[in-house]
Amino acid sequence: VHSSKMARRDRASVGRDLHYVPDITSSLEQASNNGFDFVCSPIVHPRYKRECLEGRAKGRPGALTRSDLLLTSQDWSTLIVGKLSPWLQPDSEIESVRKNCEKALQQELSYAAHLSLPAILVQVRSARCANMARYIHYHMMGHNNTLMWIQVPLQSADVSREDVIEGEPAPDPEDNRAQDPWEWWNTFRTVCHYHKKLALALELTPDLPCESQLRRWLGEPVRAAIIPTDIFLTNKKGYPVLSRVHQSFVQQLFKYDAQIVISGTARHGDKGLRAYQQYMEHLFQTAPPPDQVTLFARGYEDYLQCPLQPLFDNLESNTYETFEKDPVKYSQYQQAVYYALLDKIPVSEKDTKKIVLMVLGAGRGPLVRCSLEAAKRAERQIVVYAVEKNPNAVVTLEALKDEMWGEQVTVVSCDMREWEAPEKADIIVSELLGSFGDNELSPECLDGAQKFLKDDGISIPREYTSYVAPVSSHKLHNEVRGCKERDKGPEVSPAYCTSGCNKEFHSAWAPFETAYVVRLHNYCELAEPQPCFTFHHPNRGLIDNTRAKEFEFDVEENAVLNGFAGYFDTVLYGDVTLSIVPRTHSPGMFSWFSIFFPIRDPIYLTKGSKLKVNFWRCCTQQKVWYEWCVTSPTVTPIHNPAGRSYTIGL
């Protein structure tokens, strides 16, 4: 048997679930011959019920299980997933049974650690699992190299039964919770304090739950799908296939690098077990291909990044280069400038009138190129000022002026807020938007720059709106919890700390009081995004960029809230728009990922309840920051009060 990685991107990783393994070497060889990548094998013979504390068999001589010498260390650590004995009941109400099972459980976990198994499969069959979770947590605290695959069915056997009698009262919500496998998992992982080595092994059932309940699993760390052979159908040629709804769900799990485990005996005549492995590979290869945004973001899924602070720091060349590769954003900007030029200069004046166009924050010149192309297409004359504060990017702009643009473009090395323009502009164009719309200080920059825009001047973009949606994500919660204060950037506000801030307390809060740019992947959106803050340009009224917004979201299913996803959309000009809001996302655009506002402690939400949330945008002369909190169904402290953990420098 050749060792292989347990997860790959180029093909499905499929394992074989074995209930009894008389000979581990021959079982592995047979599984390999059938195309399987690994096997799930009992750590100890499943019928070997030990009497660890008392009884005639307490001192029984002999080995607990098979020797580690039967396989190489590499094979143990790459090809075998250990299975705990099914008779273990550490949550039994009978004290003698509970204590005996606790001792036996510790034996099996200890031997699995000795073998350096990559994962251990733990069956959970009810919400009564706190003691099992406690012992699993103990083990994970001392052994960081082994994943715990918590096996739960997609639907409990009680729910699957057709036992509803007409006229009977509706079941109690508490009974529904007790029969919901997601509740079992939530109990288990909460007891284990969201340990990063916890993962899910979902057992597919003949009937799948509703779409909203299936979607809820996508916010959980699903590492494997266990598929019994008895849920497969038979096609016209006698081969095993899954129903369309099962196919769709399995292909969704492939996006999260989930592995497949085939459980049960071959049930399709002479096709053998290999037919099941081949079918899983077929599903993997025929899954819908990833779009351009997914391909661009590959490797950055759920990776937390601090938002750019372009006013505070100068961007590097590779950052500019990445943004410039977006074909959609600049195409839309060019369209917006084109329509603005047509509206500004009628056909009768196109040969006599020139438009003054200013690109504010020109970077390495993509918007200058867009504007020149738009003018050429519109057959209008323009004079361009390219204003850029980054002296390193100005080097590129000057080179482009000398080599391509000539006297049509004037390069200005200056902060747009401090520049004294020689003339007023008909059109100003900027790309100062961040993942939350205003989080890179577009309002402050454009408010300061509108002094050199004519009274009838046009701003591109014209307006932009941020959006907020509650999300559940076990992965993101752990990613934030693992952040180090020194990796985050802004330090604690000295002004805040002098007022009595406990620095140790703050250090624990700080990662949860920072907004992160992230390519959301392993998450579940709990409600539709709602509009948050809107800004219009030019802003001819009273300039006040502070904002406050209260949200109320309807909770569709019992779920856990881990934070809020932030998006934005913008109207560049007329009906030319850009959006990263999931339902209206501009196809093929990858310049912006979402933003994530975490909360420190996960909040349990019940189906049919209301989630109430407050967001604030706060400003001083030196900085801008966001604050947020939940007010219902429970109340949380304000996150990031007075910008103590995260600010955007002006």
Side-chain angles (χ1 to χ4, degrees):
V1 179
H2 298 288
S3 299
S4 63
K5 286 187 176 182
M6 293 186 63
R8 305 176 182 176
R9 282 194 179 273
D10 59 339
R11 58 180 290 268
S13 177
V14 186
R16 175 79 178 117
D17 185 21
L18 303 174
H19 298 291
Y20 297 95
V21 184
D23 185 329
I24 188 70
T25 305
S26 61
S27 294
L28 266 177
E29 184 176 356
Q30 185 178 11
S32 179
N33 291 337
N34 283 317
F36 294 103
D37 298 291
F38 62 96
V39 299
C40 299
S41 170
I43 299 169
V44 176
H45 195 288
R47 291 194 298 179
Y48 182 22
K49 295 186 178 182
R50 282 92 68 202
E51 293 177 331
C52 300
L53 301 177
E54 59 184 4
R56 289 180 298 174
K58 178 185 176 184
R60 181 186 302 172
L64 172 69
T65 184
R66 61 177 62 84
S67 168
D68 57 354
L69 297 177
L70 293 174
L71 297 176
T72 66
S73 295
Q74 185 178 11
D75 285 350
W76 282 118
S77 63
T78 57
L79 301 177
I80 307 294
V81 172
K83 296 170 60 179
L84 296 178
S85 295
W87 57 269
L88 293 174
Q89 300 179 59
D91 287 278
S92 173
E93 295 180 3
I94 303 172
E95 184 178 10
S96 60
V97 173
R98 173 177 60 79
K99 289 188 173 181
N100 187 68
C101 288
E102 288 173 349
K103 186 68 174 176
L105 173 61
Q106 289 174 297
Q107 287 179 337
E108 297 192 15
L109 292 174
S110 176
Y111 195 68
H114 171 72
L115 297 175
S116 298
L117 299 183
I120 299 173
L121 202 57
V122 183
Q123 277 198 355
V124 174
R125 287 291 177 259
S126 75
R128 189 182 178 86
C129 57
N131 199 36
M132 171 69 89
R134 184 171 72 104
Y135 274 92
I136 294 297
H137 193 205
Y138 286 168
H139 182 79
M140 291 187 296
M141 291 169 65
H143 302 86
N144 288 324
N145 297 324
T146 302
L147 284 174
M148 291 293 170
W149 284 5
I150 310 305
Q151 180 182 347
V152 295
L154 276 174
Q155 199 166 51
S156 71
D158 291 337
V159 171
S160 298
R161 291 184 309 174
E162 295 289 344
D163 58 356
V164 178
I165 301 175
E166 185 177 355
E168 285 213 339
D172 188 284
E174 287 301 316
D175 292 338
N176 287 338
R177 287 183 61 179
Q179 294 174 5
D180 184 353
W182 181 86
E183 296 285 354
W184 311 346
W185 153 251
N186 188 46
T187 298
F188 200 101
R189 60 100 172 267
T190 303
V191 172
C192 293
H193 199 214
Y194 280 74
H195 198 284
K196 63 182 180 180
K197 288 297 178 180
L198 273 184
L200 264 170
L202 288 178
E203 183 182 338
L204 269 64
T205 49
D207 297 319
L208 296 183
C210 65
E211 179 62 31
S212 60
Q213 291 183 355
L214 282 179
R215 192 169 60 247
R216 183 174 56 179
W217 289 112
L218 302 183
E220 308 297 354
V222 181
R223 288 298 187 95
I226 300 173
I227 308 180
T229 54
D230 60 7
I231 74 167
F232 283 84
L233 308 176
T234 306
N235 68 9
K236 293 179 180 179
K237 295 183 178 180
Y239 285 92
V241 294
L242 291 173
S243 70
R244 290 192 180 276
V245 289
H246 285 87
Q247 288 179 41
S248 176
F249 186 65
V250 169
Q251 288 181 325
Q252 276 188 296
L253 295 182
F254 281 141
K255 296 177 184 178
Y256 303 95
D257 287 334
Q259 299 165 255
I260 303 298
V261 177
I262 300 298
S263 175
T265 60
R267 298 173 181 269
H268 289 75
D270 60 349
K271 306 304 180 187
L273 286 167
R274 190 174 186 85
Y276 298 92
Q277 184 275 333
Q278 290 174 332
Y279 180 68
M280 288 298 111
E281 181 63 26
H282 167 73
L283 279 186
F284 183 88
Q285 298 297 342
T286 57
D291 58 25
Q292 286 299 113
V293 178
T294 303
L295 290 173
F296 173 79
R298 184 158 284 173
Y300 288 92
E301 297 92 341
D302 297 324
Y303 176 75
L304 302 179
Q305 305 173 69
C306 286
L308 294 174
Q309 299 212 28
L311 293 189
F312 205 70
D313 302 311
N314 289 326
L315 303 185
E316 297 177 351
S317 179
N318 60 349
T319 305
Y320 286 121
E321 184 177 344
T322 300
F323 292 151
E324 290 164 11
K325 290 177 180 177
D326 192 321
V328 177
K329 177 172 70 172
Y330 294 112
S331 173
Q332 291 295 89
Y333 263 99
Q334 185 171 320
Q335 282 288 94
V337 175
Y338 170 76
Y339 289 125
L341 289 173
L342 292 182
D343 288 347
K344 271 293 182 184
I345 304 180
V347 176
S348 60
E349 298 178 13
K350 70 175 186 176
D351 296 324
T352 58
K353 187 175 180 181
K354 283 189 177 181
I355 286 291
V356 177
L357 184 146
M358 296 178 179
V359 177
L360 306 180
R364 301 197 312 177
L367 286 184
V368 177
R369 286 191 290 271
C370 288
S371 300
L372 294 174
E373 286 295 321
K376 183 178 178 180
R377 179 183 162 204
E379 298 180 337
R380 301 298 192 268
Q381 299 180 60
I382 64 171
V383 174
V384 178
Y385 289 88
V387 184
E388 175 55 50
K389 76 170 186 64
N390 183 352
N392 304 309
V394 169
V395 174
T396 307
L397 293 173
E398 291 285 8
L400 289 169
K401 172 183 169 66
D402 291 341
E403 297 168 11
M404 297 175 58
W405 301 333
E407 296 305 313
Q408 191 177 7
V409 176
T410 300
V411 176
V412 179
S413 180
C414 183
D415 188 317
M416 69 185 77
R417 296 168 296 172
E418 301 169 359
W419 181 42
E420 295 296 332
E423 58 183 321
K424 290 202 170 186
D426 298 288
I427 301 173
I428 59 175
V429 185
S430 64
E431 52 172 334
L432 305 170
L433 301 176
S435 296
F436 201 49
D438 58 87
N439 65 296
E440 292 185 14
L441 306 187
S442 179
E444 285 71 22
C445 291
L446 295 182
D447 288 347
Q450 71 182 21
K451 63 187 178 185
F452 43 77
L453 181 66
K454 292 178 181 177
D455 291 342
D456 62 345
I458 294 171
S459 173
I460 300 176
R462 190 186 74 198
E463 66 178 68
Y464 38 90
T465 301
S466 55
Y467 290 78
V468 166
V471 296
S472 175
S473 176
H474 181 103
K475 174 75 180 294
L476 287 178
H477 178 76
N478 270 328
E479 289 292 314
V480 175
R481 193 166 63 169
C483 285
K484 297 278 195 299
E485 172 67 18
R486 57 184 169 80
D487 295 333
K488 291 193 319 76
E491 296 182 357
V492 181
S493 166
Y496 189 88
C497 283
T498 55
S499 64
C501 170
N502 182 315
K503 290 190 177 182
E504 289 186 8
F505 174 79
H506 171 263
S507 181
W509 268 91
F512 293 94
E513 296 189 333
T514 299
Y516 301 92
V517 171
V518 60
R519 167 62 174 171
L520 295 173
H521 183 63
N522 192 181
Y523 79 110
C524 173
E525 203 172 76
L526 303 179
E528 286 285 320
Q530 294 184 17
C532 188
F533 307 138
T534 298
F535 294 87
H536 301 267
H537 299 288
N539 178 11
R540 301 300 187 187
L542 177 66
I543 294 179
D544 179 6
N545 291 324
T546 61
R547 297 285 191 276
K549 179 73 173 181
E550 183 177 4
F551 301 94
E552 183 175 283
F553 298 98
D554 294 320
V555 179
E556 190 176 1
E557 294 288 347
N558 291 355
V560 168
L561 175 71
N562 297 117
F564 303 93
Y567 315 101
F568 81 93
D569 64 18
T570 178
V571 178
L572 296 178
Y573 183 75
D575 59 358
V576 182
T577 63
L578 293 171
S579 174
I580 65 166
V581 182
R583 306 302 181 268
T584 59
H585 197 289
S586 301
M589 186 176 69
F590 53 73
S591 281
W592 294 278
F593 292 158
S594 309
I595 201 165
F596 178 62
F597 295 92
I599 57 172
R600 184 182 181 189
D601 298 313
I603 297 175
Y604 182 84
L605 305 175
T606 56
K607 181 177 180 178
S609 64
K610 301 287 186 183
L611 170 64
K612 294 183 179 180
V613 184
N614 288 80
F615 266 73
W616 294 269
R617 187 182 197 268
C618 308
C619 309
T620 68
Q621 293 293 326
Q622 293 79 34
K623 59 189 178 181
V624 173
W625 70 94
Y626 300 101
E627 300 177 8
W628 60 97
C629 74
V630 176
T631 57
S632 181
T634 187
V635 180
T636 68
I638 295 283
H639 288 63
N640 197 34
R644 68 178 177 185
S645 301
Y646 163 63
T647 62
I648 311 149
L650 282 166

